[in-house]
Amino acid sequence: MQKLADLLIQKIPALQPVPVDFVYLGVQVVFALVMLMAFVAPFAGIVSWVERRIAARMMDRVGPNRVGPQGFFQWIADGIKSILKEDIIPTAADPILFRLAPYLVFAGMFAAFVTIPFSSGLIIADLNVGIFYLIAVTSIVVVGILMAGWASNNKYSLLGGMRSAAQIVSYEIPAGLAILVVVFLTGSLSIQDIIKGQGAYPWQWYLFDNPFMPVAFLSLFISSLAEGNRTPFDIPEAESELVSGYSTEYSGMRFVFFYFEEWANLYLIAAVGTALFLGGWQIPPEVKTWASALGGVVGFTLPHALEFATFFLKSAVIVFIIIWIRWTLPRIRVDQLMSLCWKYLTPFGFAASLGVAVWMVVFPQGVMSVRYALCAGAATIVLYFFYRVAYQVWYSRQPIHVNPFV
Amino acid sequence: MELNTEEMLLNMGPQHPSTHGVIRFVVKTDGEVMSAAVPDIGYLHRSIEKIAEKATYNGFMPWTDRVDYLAAMNCNVAYAMAVEKIAGIEISRRAEYLRVIAMELNRIISHLLAVGSLGMDIGAYTPFVHALREREKANDLIEELCGQRLTYNYARIGGVIYDMTPNWDAKVLAFLEQFEPLLNEFDRLLTDAKILKKRLGGVGVVTAEEAINYNLVGPNLRGSGVKWDLRKDMPYSVYPELDFEVPVGTGEAGVLGDCFDRYNVRMKEMRESVKILRQCFERIPAGEYQVKVPKKIRPPAGDVYVRTESTRGDLGVYLVSDGSDKACRVKFRCGSFNAMSIVEKISRGMMVADLIAFIASLDIVAPEIDR
């Protein structure tokens, strides 16, 4: 970021009398806006379309396919429709809180993207408390949801808001413990430092650093699902019980803000998992040297583009898995949700952090053979899983498409 | 400082995503745990029994579809059987077989919706759509048989309205051939899902004694471990000639008589229906599908009660005739009405999420409650 700002000051004479700090600030704000508007907003929209298409495939339906090629512009059509809808505020609602709630939810989500890196250079602000800031700022979402539930003056909304608050606050703890484990290994809270501590190849990832890391990763993944209100933890907006939970009374664009938050949150969950455990944007150093050696504009942009693609692909895989889980599993009950958090995830989180601490004392340099073994184990599990999927697809193929009327 | 809490009165329904029709539950809740859920019925009352007194015997047949729109065939047949019994009409064996075939297909259709919507009510959307896909195929078959997809109006006093179309039996057998493996797939997707067992196991336990005292019938009664099926125990039509099992609850996911048992009984009953259908097509004789009956039926004065095993259990028709061409009184006795009466007792101290699962596992159909 600083380099870019320096370049601008050199090239544009009008900027030279302006204090340097202002230029830095201006560049950063403009970059933040571009990143959020050009990446996060379309991503949330496109993911809504992707999710609907994937869900349709799983359900043996077609899904939205009318607007544009394969229905790609469905999300734009939905957005326009929502803006044109009447914005209804119930008479009995608290008008100020009712209006404020969607913005809080929206702001909490967008503010979290400030510390999410897209490549080694593409980051809005590389805070030295990056991951801590991220946890703190996403908690604003809870306030918004609780506010929405209370201000709607609807009993379903209230129940939904309460459930959501209880759920998100509880699951911060296992999530925090899992993140703490990574902070042990790195010795830094900055997300860029955490990624720099890993490498491009799977055995260099923190996920396979020692036997306790997969536990921490799973615990983080499950907690993120719960914090993001995704199935099997979507009880705050459980349609069959609470109609639509805290967003029952909302309509038009305010309603979209809640769903926007949910889909943007998908990427956030995936990005945090990728950055902390799956090597982030790291590409093999040989590739990076080769790309930088091209020189000129290409040499400057290509490494960043490759890093961005790596990071994005890893995140996209996680996003797909989350969508997959959502359309497969039933949801669990409130008390089961709480017992999962307090009886299983939290103790496992503590055990993992203790294990990692001991491991770091016993093997300060790490053990390469353990890393290779864990990596091979994970690969075996994934391969076996795909074998099972292929087998089941083959097994159920012939009967499924028999049409009795042919 | 003392914290005062008060109970919240939550009106669940008449319009609510999981009440499946217009039923209202007045839920007294303290947070997530309810102290009681009181069902409030009557939103779907259409005076069907009164209409029966104003319509001729044949003219009332289409109304019986609306008693329970998910098991229209069973209601058709139950009413036709009642009139035939009081008027002393013997129907042909082919007509009996056609009725049983249609009723068992109807049972599959109805149970598919029941288990699918139970899945949807606890958050699993995909199995619901898979169940509906299979239901559509069965609906297509029924449509070819009688021209309707939901309110069949197929049975007639003295038989059925149409014979089956040429090659229809082969189509049904082809459907059954691919339906059985799909039931296995459904089992893998939903029945064996650990979350489903956790959600349904031990929830909404109805003991056998309670089930009998509250007059639960059909799969709800069998889910509590009582082996009582009118097709076996008070046989009618051609059921005594057919070989099938009566599945009962086993308590495999928790306690005997919980939601999972009721769900699982329905899953197993679909397999039994497949078995019955196969046997019917092997045995169905040639012959007339309708016997001659006078245009205006004037049964002798008297009364008659006919019991049949509908998809929601014991469907009884009580018919009083005064010798004219219109019934003096017709009363339908339906399973859902009794199932509603137990909700208040079982729901005490339940969680809101469990109430939804409990209602879904009772397979309540709103129009059948009110008629």
Side-chain angles (χ1 to χ4, degrees):
Chain A
M1 240 0 67
Q2 207 166 356
K3 269 191 232 158
L4 187 69
D6 288 337
L7 201 72
L8 279 177
I9 296 170
Q10 273 178 17
K11 298 273 175 183
I12 306 168
L15 282 178
Q16 272 152 11
V18 183
V20 180
D21 287 349
F22 282 170
V23 179
Y24 286 171
L25 188 70
V27 168
Q28 220 156 23
V29 167
V30 168
F31 180 70
L33 285 177
V34 167
M35 218 52 219
L36 294 181
M37 288 304 141
F39 179 77
V40 182
F43 182 86
I46 291 168
V47 126
S48 75
W49 168 75
V50 167
E51 171 155 23
R52 289 166 71 182
R53 290 290 286 187
I54 291 175
R57 293 294 294 182
M58 287 175 182
M59 291 178 175
D60 221 349
R61 295 187 286 121
V62 179
N65 69 342
R66 296 284 115 181
V67 196
Q70 294 293 310
F72 180 77
F73 296 113
Q74 184 67 41
W75 59 284
I76 296 180
D78 285 344
I80 292 170
K81 184 195 78 175
S82 308
I83 292 173
L84 296 179
K85 286 250 173 187
E86 188 188 355
D87 176 32
I88 300 167
I89 298 173
T91 0
D94 185 330
I96 298 169
L97 292 184
F98 189 83
R99 286 200 185 93
L100 188 60
Y103 300 122
L104 272 185
V105 169
F106 196 66
M109 186 44 56
F110 262 21
F113 274 93
V114 167
T115 53
I116 293 292
F118 296 93
S119 82
S120 57
L122 280 172
I123 181 167
I124 296 165
D126 183 16
L127 300 179
N128 56 0
V129 289
I131 193 72
F132 183 66
Y133 163 85
L134 196 136
I135 300 173
V137 132
T138 45
S139 300
I140 296 179
V141 175
V142 193
V143 180
I145 287 176
L146 200 56
M147 209 179 254
W150 180 257
S152 297
N153 199 6
N154 176 318
K155 287 163 182 172
Y156 293 116
S157 301
L158 182 62
L159 276 178
M162 289 299 179
R163 279 181 177 191
S164 186
Q167 175 177 335
I168 297 180
V169 171
S170 306
Y171 274 87
E172 297 260 289
I173 292 163
L177 280 171
I179 290 170
L180 191 67
V181 169
V182 176
V183 175
F184 280 174
L185 285 174
T186 320
S188 163
L189 287 165
S190 152
I191 297 182
Q192 289 292 58
D193 284 351
I194 291 172
I195 294 176
K196 279 173 195 154
Q198 308 174 62
Y201 300 107
W203 51 88
Q204 295 167 324
W205 296 349
Y206 278 154
L207 178 58
F208 303 118
D209 187 79
N210 59 57
F212 303 100
M213 294 309 278
V215 178
F217 178 68
L218 277 182
S219 146
L220 178 71
F221 183 68
I222 295 171
S223 315
S224 318
L225 283 185
E227 283 188 63
N229 295 341
R230 301 291 297 189
T231 314
F233 308 104
D234 66 337
I235 55 164
E237 52 201 55
E239 190 201 324
S240 51
E241 297 157 28
L242 299 182
V243 188
S244 191
Y246 52 84
S247 57
T248 306
E249 294 286 352
Y250 283 87
S251 65
M253 209 52 206
R254 287 180 214 280
F255 177 77
V256 172
F257 278 163
F258 284 110
Y259 273 78
F260 199 86
E261 181 266 337
E262 189 170 299
W263 278 309
N265 196 17
L266 264 186
Y267 185 76
L268 196 68
I269 295 169
V272 170
T274 309
L276 263 49
F277 287 93
L278 302 179
W281 40 254
Q282 289 280 13
I283 54 173
E286 301 84 27
V287 177
K288 197 169 183 179
T289 356
W290 166 80
S292 311
L294 292 173
V297 182
V298 177
F300 181 70
T301 50
L302 191 60
H304 284 296
L306 286 175
E307 284 170 350
F308 178 81
T310 315
F311 193 88
F312 186 78
L313 276 179
K314 285 176 189 171
S315 308
V317 169
I318 298 186
V319 167
F320 173 70
I321 291 173
I322 296 172
I323 292 175
W324 189 355
I325 289 175
R326 166 157 189 181
W327 295 104
T328 308
L329 295 180
R331 77 172 74 85
I332 63 177
R333 211 167 49 212
V334 187
D335 56 330
Q336 290 166 347
L337 180 94
M338 286 299 158
S339 73
L340 175 69
C341 175
W342 295 108
K343 287 188 192 159
Y344 300 98
L345 289 183
T346 311
F348 274 122
F350 274 117
S353 52
L354 195 69
V356 170
V358 171
W359 187 275
M360 283 172 69
V361 172
V362 179
F363 307 106
Q365 302 304 316
V367 192
M368 273 324 268
S369 55
V370 171
R371 282 174 172 244
Y372 288 135
L374 282 173
C375 207
T380 319
I381 290 170
V382 170
L383 283 179
Y384 179 67
F385 177 75
F386 278 110
Y387 165 74
R388 282 289 301 269
V389 170
Y391 174 77
Q392 296 293 5
V393 167
W394 169 82
Y395 175 81
S396 56
R397 175 164 287 163
Q398 69 260 19
I400 215 166
H401 293 297
V402 172
N403 184 348
F405 300 102
V406 175
Chain B
M1 198 182 78
E2 203 177 324
L3 273 176
N4 285 322
T5 59
E6 59 180 88
E7 279 194 338
M8 188 165 85
L9 206 66
L10 187 67
N11 255 323
M12 210 174 249
Q15 273 81 36
H16 185 273
S18 66
T19 52
H20 306 302
V22 273
I23 318 169
R24 173 165 161 246
F25 292 91
V26 182
V27 176
K28 286 200 197 82
T29 165
D30 178 17
E32 289 290 338
V33 183
M34 311 182 300
S35 57
V38 185
D40 181 11
I41 61 172
Y43 288 91
L44 216 56
H45 188 71
R46 291 144 302 154
S47 319
I48 284 184
E49 287 166 5
K50 188 69 190 168
I51 290 167
E53 298 164 17
K54 300 287 168 193
T56 56
Y57 285 101
N58 271 322
F60 181 62
M61 189 56 78
W63 290 96
T64 58
D65 294 330
R66 276 80 181 171
V67 170
D68 177 357
Y69 59 77
L70 288 179
M73 201 67 78
N74 291 277
C75 300
N76 283 175
V77 172
Y79 177 70
M81 277 168 67
V83 179
E84 281 154 12
K85 194 170 169 188
I86 196 165
I89 300 167
E90 277 283 319
I91 69 165
S92 69
R93 288 190 39 85
R94 187 173 178 83
E96 293 276 21
Y97 270 103
L98 281 172
R99 281 178 179 185
V100 169
I101 289 169
M103 281 196 289
E104 292 306 319
L105 259 180
N106 197 179
R107 196 181 304 276
I108 290 178
I109 288 171
S110 172
H111 280 354
L112 272 176
L113 193 68
V115 294
S117 60
L118 186 136
M120 193 175 70
D121 278 348
I122 59 168
Y125 287 82
T126 307
F128 175 68
V129 184
H130 285 195
L132 279 195
R133 181 189 64 202
E134 293 313 301
R135 189 171 179 266
E136 282 306 302
K137 292 179 191 165
N139 273 347
D140 288 342
L141 292 168
I142 288 269
E143 187 182 8
E144 193 174 333
L145 182 66
C146 62
Q148 304 288 337
R149 294 170 69 84
L150 189 70
T151 50
Y152 306 126
N153 189 17
Y154 179 60
R156 283 291 177 277
I157 295 156
V160 292
I161 177 102
Y162 305 118
D163 200 354
M164 57 186 184
T165 52
N167 214 21
W168 187 73
D169 49 350
K171 287 175 189 170
V172 178
L173 289 173
F175 163 73
L176 298 179
E177 201 59 43
Q178 56 101 49
F179 178 64
E180 270 198 316
L182 279 168
L183 273 181
N184 295 338
E185 193 181 281
F186 203 81
D187 272 345
R188 285 204 302 274
L189 185 60
L190 196 59
T191 316
D192 297 340
K194 196 148 190 179
I195 296 180
L196 183 103
K197 288 196 169 165
K198 286 262 175 201
R199 275 301 303 275
L200 298 185
V203 168
V205 181
V206 181
T207 60
E209 197 187 346
E210 274 173 340
I212 292 168
N213 286 348
Y214 277 82
N215 209 345
L216 290 193
V217 287
N220 298 338
L221 179 67
R222 292 193 282 276
S224 299
V226 184
K227 202 165 187 168
W228 176 257
D229 189 325
L230 292 175
R231 293 175 292 175
K232 277 266 191 229
D233 297 306
M234 296 175 73
Y236 55 95
S237 195
V238 290
Y239 280 116
E241 300 163 21
L242 303 170
D243 171 43
F244 62 96
E245 295 289 315
V246 178
V248 289
T250 51
E252 59 183 282
V255 193
L256 179 67
D258 58 13
C259 292
F260 184 82
D261 278 342
R262 287 187 284 276
Y263 160 84
N264 212 10
V265 162
R266 291 201 175 85
M267 287 301 292
K268 287 175 186 163
E269 272 188 14
M270 280 196 272
R271 291 176 198 274
E272 297 304 321
S273 290
V274 170
K275 247 160 79 179
I276 294 174
L277 280 169
R278 288 221 171 98
Q279 292 172 39
C280 283
F281 283 115
E282 273 170 22
R283 289 153 175 265
I284 184 164
E288 282 299 305
Y289 58 91
Q290 210 170 18
V291 294
K292 277 255 176 282
V293 289
K295 209 153 197 180
K296 277 201 170 164
I297 302 164
R298 292 177 199 276
D303 62 341
V304 67
Y305 186 59
V306 167
R307 299 172 74 177
T308 60
E309 182 75 18
S310 163
T311 52
R312 261 158 287 283
D314 188 344
L315 177 76
V317 178
Y318 178 62
L319 195 145
V320 184
S321 161
D322 54 2
S324 70
D325 61 345
K326 287 169 187 161
C328 182
R329 172 85 171 99
V330 173
K331 157 89 182 141
F332 283 93
R333 178 242 178 274
C334 293
S336 293
F337 181 76
N338 301 89
M340 283 297 272
S341 65
I342 203 170
V343 170
E344 189 176 350
K345 180 177 188 337
I346 300 295
S347 64
R348 276 176 212 143
M350 228 184 204
M351 303 189 82
V352 178
D354 286 343
L355 175 71
I356 305 296
F358 180 57
I359 295 168
S361 80
L362 288 175
D363 188 18
I364 286 168
V365 171
E368 206 198 3
I369 302 169
D370 301 331
R371 300 185 290 282

